[in-house]
Amino acid sequence: MSTKTAFKRIALVAAAALAIGGISAVSANAASIAGDWTTISALNSSVPGTAVAETATQIAGVANYVALTDANDPVYVTVTGGTIVGGATSASVAVGTAVNIATPTVGTITVTSYKIASGAASTTATGTLTITVEASVPGTVYSSSTVLGNSIAALPTTVTDAAYSVTAQASTPTVAEFSVLENDANGVALTAGWAPITATVTNGLMAANIAGIVLPVANTTYISATPTAAGVSTFVLSGIAGLAGTSTITFSVNGVVVKTYSATFTGTAVKLVLTAVNPVIAVGTAAAELTAGITANTNALEVQEFDANGNAVAVTPGNVTVTPASSAIATAGVLNQSNLDTLGHIQGGTVLSTSVNGVSLTGVAAGTTTFTATDSNLSLTSAAVSVRVSSATPQTVVLSTDASAYPAGGLGTLTTTVSDAVGTVPAGVYAVFTGQAASSYALTVGTTSLPGGAVALVAAGDAGSGTLAAAAVPAGSVTVNDAGVATSSFNAPISDATGVSVSATAAATTITVTPATFDVTSGASDAANAATDAANEATDAANAATDAANAAADSADAATQAAQDAGAKADAALAAVTALSQQVTSVLAKIAGL
């Protein structure tokens, strides 16, 4: 017999996936474990078959078992974690004779076989079979449900569920979709034994397509049905025209609430709000100023509309115009809703959306004017906001600190304020120094953060998340916000100093730079040292008092010992006198007798 033929003869084979009450077998690498079983069958099996396997699955039951038969060789079997029907844990099995492994309870049973040759069992296992005993047929007993949501009308995923957030006008149809999948205790999707699903919505309408139910359930606020086939049941949420408010969507399975969601349905806008995000802009167009490093003109204004409940409502750009009181001072562009930018073109700022609109401005001439927004469709007008157009030409740079004095190494904040002839300069980058500012006394930490240092190019991020690309900033330049201010932190010098100065050289004679000054004092440290010295002196005095007390105690001990010695001597003398007296008395008595 060839090696190949011999291997085939001893290869482990098993019944393939069987019906309810049967077993399922999993294909395995027969080359790694040579088995002797040629057939595996199970009680109540209705779909017998064969497949290479090392594992099998059976349902727990007092009368259930897995039958094993070797058609080629007699074998000796041992059972771990269970028994053979009848109670034995080992047995010799003749060729073609079945050995039934009992599966009364949930657990794992291992059956090991040893081929018998010439009347003796091999000392090396020739086959191993692991039987997994389940409480029920996988996918047939309801245990839990997976409920997911999506903020649009598309099949949800775990990703869309994590990002779920819905705000829509009350008249909007199909604003969100939800799915429900029923599982058994091991997370296996049910193929039978489904439980009823109930969905309720407090504001809005829900339509559903329950797995196995062909016709979708009509729009309603309450749905309850039981799937009749495997698969996902889906639900679609829509708003109700004229009914604004917060909606709560609740999903229950088998009578237990599994998950809830909320959606905000907005009504018709009743209020138009215009906000000056950057109240100071530069002379020039938004695009030109942005190229020059000034961001203030881009999305300088914000337009929003709100319903009667204060909910932000999606704005229709074509219905809204923003008008200046004086077009000789500044003019406005159209509404921008692109999520590729932020309000004020601020890196990390509020991302634009249908309910957050940006409006870029063009500065025509230095001066101040107001802007007003109007919605022609809803007959809404905003309150006016003031915007100043600056020449954006720096004239003064003031450096200041948040305290006049710091302890050695103390944390401080340095503020750089850039102004033009009138006041605050627009937000942006200004070349005001010849290089980076410096301290007259070495700072402990923070030298590299002082204003005027070169800043490398910041890579573009996801604009929709508010992260915008920023150009490299050359040395000597300062990036200020819409208040014309930049801040940085530092740690004061480690040693005491008076009149520490942080300053920089102006980039032009038309710019005046005022340095920041502060003192470094270690008064707190001195006080702590004085307290330590006082404590040490008190300790020394206490030790001296203790020594004196110990000396006095030693003297008292010596006096006590001397008194004890004198007493002992007196006692000895008295004893001697007493003994002598007794002897004299005895002698006198003898004399009297004579």
Side-chain angles (χ1 to χ4, degrees), residues 437-443 447 450 493 497-504 515-520:
S439 172
S440 61
Y441 206 95
L443 301 175
T447 300
L450 291 179
T498 301
V500 177
S501 174
V502 177
S503 62
T517 59
F518 61 88
D519 297 334
V520 180

Side-chain angles (χ1 to χ4, degrees), residues 131-150:
I131 302 172
T132 300
V133 186
E134 303 280 2
S136 60
V137 176
T140 62
V141 177
Y142 173 79
S143 176
S144 64
S145 293
T146 301
V147 180
L148 300 174
N150 194 347

Side-chain angles (χ1 to χ4, degrees), residues 189-244:
L190 293 187
T191 56
W194 299 279
I197 301 172
T198 301
T200 61
V201 54
T202 59
N203 181 19
L205 296 174
M206 185 82 77
N209 193 341
I210 307 298
I213 300 177
V214 179
L215 296 177
V217 178
N219 279 320
T220 182
T221 59
Y222 175 87
I223 297 172
S224 185
T226 302
T228 59
V232 175
S233 296
T234 58
F235 301 79
V236 176
L237 175 68
S238 296
I240 301 175
L243 188 59

Side-chain angles (χ1 to χ4, degrees), residues 474-526:
S477 298
V478 177
T479 302
V480 299
N481 59 20
D482 60 5
V485 168
T487 59
S488 58
S489 60
F490 66 90
N491 285 84
I494 198 65
S495 302
D496 291 1
T498 301
V500 177
S501 174
V502 177
S503 62
T505 302
T509 56
T510 55
I511 300 175
T512 301
V513 177
T514 301
T517 59
F518 61 88
D519 297 334
V520 180
T521 61
S522 55
S525 299
D526 293 341

Side-chain angles (χ1 to χ4, degrees), residues 15-463:
L18 304 179
I20 298 175
I23 73 166
S24 63
V26 180
S27 296
N29 184 356
S32 64
I33 300 179
D36 284 295
W37 308 119
T38 57
T39 63
I40 298 177
S41 60
L43 185 66
N44 298 326
S45 297
S46 61
V47 188
T50 60
V52 175
E54 296 173 3
T55 62
T57 303
Q58 175 62 297
I59 308 307
V62 293
N64 287 7
Y65 60 87
V66 175
L68 308 175
T69 305
D70 191 322
N72 298 308
D73 299 292
V75 292
Y76 177 77
V77 299
T78 61
V79 182
T80 303
T83 67
I84 299 169
V85 172
T89 57
S90 63
S92 294
V93 185
V95 176
T97 301
V99 57
N100 299 327
I101 309 301
T103 58
T105 58
V106 173
T108 301
I109 302 172
T110 302
V111 182
T112 306
S113 64
Y114 303 84
K115 183 166 66 174
I116 297 175
S118 302
S122 172
T123 58
T124 303
T126 52
T128 301
L129 175 72
T130 300
I131 302 172
T132 300
V133 186
E134 303 280 2
S136 60
V137 176
T140 62
V141 177
Y142 173 79
S143 176
S144 64
S145 293
T146 301
V147 180
L148 300 174
N150 194 347
S151 301
I152 60 174
L155 193 64
T157 65
T158 54
V159 175
T160 64
D161 188 72
Y164 174 87
S165 178
V166 172
T167 299
Q169 289 185 327
S171 59
T172 308
T174 60
V175 298
E177 185 168 332
F178 308 91
S179 66
V180 179
L181 180 64
E182 299 186 20
N183 312 305
D184 67 7
N186 293 316
V188 176
L190 293 187
T191 56
W194 299 279
I197 301 172
T198 301
T200 61
V201 54
T202 59
N203 181 19
L205 296 174
M206 185 82 77
N209 193 341
I210 307 298
I213 300 177
V214 179
L215 296 177
V217 178
N219 279 320
T220 182
T221 59
Y222 175 87
I223 297 172
S224 185
T226 302
T228 59
V232 175
S233 296
T234 58
F235 301 79
V236 176
L237 175 68
S238 296
I240 301 175
L243 188 59
T246 300
S247 177
T248 300
I249 305 97
T250 304
F251 291 95
S252 300
V253 182
N254 211 27
V256 177
V257 174
V258 178
K259 204 167 186 178
T260 61
Y261 295 86
S262 66
T264 300
F265 289 112
T266 60
T268 303
V270 297
K271 184 179 182 181
L272 178 60
V273 177
L274 183 65
T275 305
V277 179
N278 289 330
V280 179
I281 65 171
V283 173
T285 65
E289 294 307 307
L290 192 58
T291 300
I294 296 177
T295 58
N297 294 39
T298 303
N299 301 322
L301 303 181
E302 177 188 14
V303 173
Q304 282 189 293
E305 291 184 334
F306 299 89
D307 66 9
N309 294 321
N311 297 311
V313 178
V315 177
T316 302
N319 295 336
V320 178
T321 56
V322 178
T323 307
S326 173
S327 58
I329 300 296
T331 59
V334 297
L335 274 61
N336 179 14
Q337 297 183 340
S338 172
N339 64 358
L340 299 179
D341 209 342
T342 62
L343 286 177
H345 200 72
I346 298 170
Q347 194 157 10
T350 302
V351 178
L352 302 181
S353 66
T354 57
S355 60
V356 176
N357 297 252
V359 179
S360 295
L361 301 179
T362 295
V364 178
T368 301
T369 187
T370 59
F371 284 89
T372 305
T374 302
D375 187 323
S376 58
N377 184 56
L378 300 174
S379 300
L380 299 176
T381 301
S382 73
V385 296
S386 179
V387 173
R388 181 172 70 84
V389 178
S390 165
S391 63
T393 302
Q395 289 194 2
T396 62
V397 181
V398 177
L399 302 175
S400 60
T401 58
D402 61 337
S404 59
Y406 300 95
L411 178 65
T413 299
L414 179 70
T415 298
T416 303
T417 303
V418 181
S419 304
D420 62 12
V422 178
T424 302
V425 294
V429 179
Y430 296 89
V432 291
F433 304 139
T434 57
Q436 188 175 24
S439 172
S440 61
Y441 206 95
L443 301 175
T444 306
V445 178
T447 300
T448 58
S449 69
L450 291 179
V455 179
L457 179 68
V458 177
D462 175 12

